[in-house]
């Protein structure tokens, strides 16, 4: 048996045992279905929520649109949209600021105290302000997510620029590089491993914040859906939603990790 | 007329509340096409002097000029090869070699032609699109040499470039360097602490003293090339220079013991 297949099967062992035990105890009636439904019921609910709720109506929608009209897919798309928008705004502000703060001691001295005060405030603590400032809907949610993504990217970018090996700067100066070339062709790529580590943490934070923000400010998305399901005591729907959140998070992290491996293919740490 | 003129160069650093005089009153003239080795134990200021010529760290007083122009900053007219290679790990071999020309905004086809020629010259053709992490130390140093040769600078500065390589790779690259030098007529200023390496390569060996760094001996090497490290003349010179370097090495060791005692 190939080693990878063996690893894979080994990794499945404990989840399968747990699922079987769970299913057995649910069928034996150890607890009510409203508290903990059987995994088969969760799977069935998940599948139903994934499928389109209405039959296709060729007059008003395309086939692809219909395929993606299931509630769970719509919610996943809404959540993903908020994560990406918030992340792009947060990281988009953090990257240039981090590069400047790393490269220019004066700017670092000017901005660092403020950043150190703001950084420990959890994005969740901005919820009341976010609602006051932006009302309900996507804007407060995107605002909170961008705060969640901002600091990891900022701190890593600063650390990255400050850790650029001096020998690269000497070599570039020796080859005649001016300030701009030095920055774009040497400092930026040398900082890239740090920036991407920050991006990965930032996406993780953004994903936590999106779920929380959807529980308060909006009326769609995966966070909203599981909170809504609680009101009807639909525990199968809650768990189906949680599993979807897990899968989406895994997909996002895998995508970022793939991007990492491609952008850092030159990096020593990644040779295997 | 000399190409590199080093006049009354003095350099001191502040280190642990005491002033370290790295270079004192260095006066040297290096002629076009000359292969000069700076030889001495660590701490003798040979790398400091090289960095001053490169423009990385200017002298505290005195003056260094190249072709009559005073050096105030680093520049591609004095290509530097570092012991740690200093290749840009995010660039492929070809991109590293072409980077200097790219900075000079040379047209792409001209860069490609020059890079191709250097890849051939240094036997790097099969590694063109590899990243530095995939190369051995010897290969990396070939790329670093190609990168400064691409600049076509009249002067090459080399800071213990073969110090981290095994003996066979080292000899191989020394021969390669001599071949390039004899064809190109470049001036080479080469820092080493290996006595044998300096005799094998140089027209002229500057033996330096341990702190403060001064010129202890300015030795011409008249042996015909290719030089045979097992020949009697080679070894006679090696013994002589070995004695000089050892004196300085002992001062270095005594100094280190003393500093350790104070600490």
């Amino acid at each position: 048996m190939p080693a990878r297949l063996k690893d894979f099967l080994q990794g499945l062992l404990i989840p399968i045992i747990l699922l079987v035990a769970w299913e057995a105890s649910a069928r034996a009636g150890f607890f009510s279905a409203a508290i903990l439904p059987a995994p088969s019921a969760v799977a069935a609910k998940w599948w139903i929520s994934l499928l389109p709720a209405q039959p296709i109506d060729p007059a008003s929608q395309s086939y692809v649109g219909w395929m993606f009209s299931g509630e769970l897919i719509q919610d996943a798309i809404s959540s993903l949209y908020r994560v990406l928008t918030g992340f792009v705004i947060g990281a988009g502000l953090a990257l240039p600021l981090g590069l400047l703060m790393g490269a220019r001691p004066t700017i670092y001295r000017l901005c660092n105290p403020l950043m150190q005060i703001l950084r420990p405030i959890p994005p969740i603590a901005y919820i009341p302000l976010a609602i006051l400032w932006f009302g309900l809907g996507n804007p407060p949610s995107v605002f909170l997510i961008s705060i969640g993504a901002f600091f990891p990217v900022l701190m890593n970018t600063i650390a990255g620029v400050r850790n650029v090996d001096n020998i690269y700067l000497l070599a570039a100066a020796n080859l005649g590089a001016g300030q701009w070339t030095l920055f774009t062709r040497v400092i930026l790529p040398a900082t890239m491993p740090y920036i991407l580590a920050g991006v990965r943490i930032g996406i993780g934070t953004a994903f936590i914040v999106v779920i929380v923000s959807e529980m308060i400010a909006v009326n769609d998305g995966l966070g909203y859906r599981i909170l809504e399901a609680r009101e009807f005591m639909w525990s199968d729907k809650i768990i189906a939603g949680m599993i979807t959140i897990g899968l989406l998070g895994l997909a996002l992290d895998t995508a970022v990790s793939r991007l990492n491996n491609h952008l850092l293919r030159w990096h020593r740490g990644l040779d295997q | 007329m000399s190409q590199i003129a080093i006049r009354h160069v003095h350099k001191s650093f502040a280190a642990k509340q005491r002033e370290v005089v790295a270079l004192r009153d260095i006066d040297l003239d290096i002629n076009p096409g000359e292969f000069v080795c700076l030889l001495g134990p660590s701490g003798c200021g040979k790398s400091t002097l090289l960095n001053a010529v490169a423009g990385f760290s200017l002298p505290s007083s005195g003056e260094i000029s190249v072709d009559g122009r005073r050096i105030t900053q680093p520049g591609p007219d004095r290509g530097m090869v570092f012991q740690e290679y200093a290749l840009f790990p995010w660039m492929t071999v070809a991109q590293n070699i072409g980077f200097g020309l790219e900075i000079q905004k040379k047209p792409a086809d001209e860069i490609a032609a020059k890079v191709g020629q250097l890849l051939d010259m240094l036997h790097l053709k099969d590694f063109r699109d590899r990243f530095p992490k995939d190369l051995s130390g010897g290969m990396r140093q070939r790329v670093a040499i190609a990168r400064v040769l691409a600049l076509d600078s009249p002067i090459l500065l080399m800071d213990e470039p073969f110090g981290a390589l095994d003996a066979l790779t080292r000899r191989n690259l020394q021969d390669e360097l001599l071949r390039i030098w004899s064809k190109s007529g470049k001036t080479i200023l080469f820092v080493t602490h290996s006595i044998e390496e300096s005799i094998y390569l140089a027209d002229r060996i500057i033996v330096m003293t341990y702190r403060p760094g001064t010129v202890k001996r300015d030795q011409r090497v008249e042996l015909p090339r290719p030089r045979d490290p097992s020949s009697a003349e080679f070894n006679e010179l090696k013994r002589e220079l070995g004695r000089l370097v050892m004196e300085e090495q002992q001062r270095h060791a005594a100094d280190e013991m003393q500093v350790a005692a104070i600490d």
Side-chain angles (χ1 to χ4, degrees):
Chain A
M1 195 186 292
R4 285 188 57 170
L5 183 62
K6 201 179 157 197
D7 283 356
F8 180 71
L9 291 178
Q10 227 166 26
L12 282 182
L13 193 61
I14 289 181
I16 287 175
I17 290 174
L18 283 176
L19 274 177
V20 168
W22 176 10
E23 181 77 37
S25 52
R27 291 198 178 201
F30 288 166
F31 16 68
S32 92
I35 301 298
L36 191 66
S40 54
V42 172
K45 188 74 193 175
W46 188 77
W47 183 243
I48 289 167
S49 311
L50 210 58
L51 295 179
Q54 313 292 330
I56 186 163
D57 170 16
S60 68
Q61 63 191 152
S62 69
Y63 185 71
V64 177
W66 176 76
M67 278 291 285
F68 285 98
S69 68
E71 186 182 58
L72 212 46
I73 294 181
Q74 284 300 309
D75 284 331
I77 291 173
S78 303
S79 295
L80 199 59
Y81 167 79
R82 293 183 189 114
V83 167
L84 294 181
T85 317
F87 179 81
V88 166
I89 293 172
L93 293 171
L95 186 63
L97 183 61
L99 290 171
L100 270 172
M101 283 176 71
R104 295 272 176 264
T106 321
I107 296 180
Y108 182 81
R109 279 194 298 271
L110 283 173
C111 299
N112 190 48
L114 179 64
M115 293 303 142
Q116 294 303 333
I117 292 167
L118 295 180
R119 188 167 67 103
I121 304 175
I124 316 296
Y126 285 90
I127 288 174
L129 261 193
I131 293 174
L132 270 181
W133 288 354
F134 298 104
L136 296 176
N138 272 338
S141 174
V142 167
F143 170 72
L144 295 170
I145 294 162
S146 60
I147 289 175
F150 180 81
F151 285 102
V153 175
L154 179 78
M155 298 329 275
N156 272 45
T157 306
I158 295 172
V161 176
R162 297 186 138 207
N163 279 308
V164 174
D165 194 336
N166 192 41
I167 193 115
Y168 299 139
L169 306 181
L170 291 182
N174 184 250
L175 296 173
Q179 287 289 318
W180 181 247
T181 310
L182 195 69
F183 195 73
T184 54
R185 301 295 304 278
V186 178
I187 294 176
L188 193 60
T191 310
M192 202 46 85
Y194 287 82
I195 296 176
L196 290 176
V199 163
R200 203 162 173 185
I201 303 169
I203 285 269
T205 318
F207 199 63
I208 295 170
V209 176
V210 73
I211 300 301
V212 178
S213 72
E214 285 171 349
M215 291 183 170
I216 38 164
V218 290
N219 52 15
D220 63 351
L222 294 167
Y224 170 79
R225 201 59 65 198
I226 62 175
L227 199 70
E228 180 202 49
R230 188 201 64 84
E231 299 191 10
F232 299 98
M233 305 267 281
W234 288 337
S235 53
D236 51 351
K237 197 170 176 184
I238 296 177
I239 298 174
M242 286 170 65
I243 291 170
T244 314
I245 291 169
L247 290 175
L248 195 60
L250 179 66
L252 264 179
D253 194 62
T254 308
V256 175
S257 154
R258 288 272 165 82
L259 181 73
N260 253 335
N261 288 349
H262 175 71
L263 288 176
L264 298 182
R265 61 197 182 284
W266 51 272
H267 200 251
R268 204 189 295 265
L270 294 169
D271 7 19
Q272 32 356 24
Chain B
M1 202 194 100
S2 71
Q3 183 175 30
I4 307 176
I6 300 172
R7 295 273 173 270
H8 309 300
V9 162
H10 190 94
K11 175 93 191 173
S12 52
F13 300 100
K16 281 194 189 168
Q17 292 154 348
R18 57 175 202 163
E19 198 191 31
V20 172
V21 180
L23 298 173
R24 191 170 72 193
D25 205 21
I26 306 270
D27 261 299
L28 282 173
D29 282 288
I30 293 162
N31 293 318
E34 227 178 356
F35 197 135
V36 177
C37 274
L38 299 174
L39 177 67
S42 55
C44 73
K46 54 195 190 301
S47 291
T48 310
L49 183 58
L50 195 74
N51 283 332
V53 177
F56 294 146
S57 166
L58 299 175
S60 309
S61 66
E63 185 176 314
I64 301 176
S65 52
V66 166
D67 293 325
R69 281 190 312 275
R70 184 179 183 150
I71 288 171
T72 54
Q73 57 176 20
D77 57 325
R78 289 151 281 139
M80 178 87 159
V81 178
F82 301 86
Q83 181 177 1
E84 321 73 326
Y85 322 121
L87 298 176
F88 302 114
W90 51 87
M91 295 185 193
T92 63
V93 166
Q95 288 167 339
N96 263 290
I97 298 174
F99 189 44
L101 296 173
E102 219 184 299
I103 288 170
Q104 293 171 10
K105 305 233 179 337
K106 292 271 165 40
D109 51 340
E110 192 185 323
I111 297 177
K114 184 83 192 174
V115 168
Q117 185 198 333
L118 286 163
L119 287 168
D120 275 350
M121 185 178 185
L122 286 146
H123 313 295
L124 288 164
K125 226 176 180 170
D126 298 340
F127 299 93
R128 168 184 190 106
D129 296 317
R130 296 291 193 83
F131 289 103
K133 67 163 182 171
D134 298 330
L135 306 184
S136 67
M139 282 298 179
R140 287 182 201 185
Q141 205 52 296
R142 282 172 188 274
V143 179
I145 292 171
R147 182 172 71 176
V148 297
L149 288 177
L151 301 171
D152 218 1
S153 51
I155 296 170
L156 282 191
L157 306 175
M158 308 184 91
D159 191 0
E160 302 200 34
F162 308 144
L165 305 178
D166 66 83
L168 291 174
T169 310
R170 193 171 194 182
R171 176 52 39 90
N172 193 247
L173 277 175
Q174 287 166 343
D175 288 334
E176 199 103 36
L177 179 63
L178 286 172
R179 188 170 58 85
I180 291 165
W181 168 72
S182 65
K183 267 196 279 185
S184 66
K186 289 183 193 300
T187 311
I188 297 183
L189 192 53
F190 188 106
V191 163
T192 179
H193 60 247
S194 158
I195 298 159
E196 176 167 325
E197 180 167 67
S198 67
I199 303 173
Y200 191 72
L201 294 174
D203 289 328
R204 194 178 150 200
I205 300 169
I206 313 289
V207 183
M208 295 184 63
T209 60
Y210 178 73
R211 280 172 201 167
T214 58
V215 176
K216 187 178 178 85
R217 167 79 68 89
D218 188 340
Q219 175 75 48
R220 296 223 142 260
V221 185
E222 310 281 6
L223 303 175
R225 289 189 175 90
R227 291 173 181 162
D228 174 5
S230 61
S231 72
E233 301 89 331
F234 194 106
N235 282 284
E236 196 182 323
L237 188 54
K238 192 171 162 184
R239 228 175 345 265
E240 166 70 6
L241 293 178
R243 192 178 54 75
L244 297 175
V245 171
M246 214 48 220
E247 283 173 16
E248 296 309 315
Q249 175 61 33
Q250 275 157 10
R251 287 182 51 214
H252 176 199
D255 194 37
E256 279 197 328
M257 303 282 265
Q258 198 193 358
V259 169
I262 292 169
D263 285 346

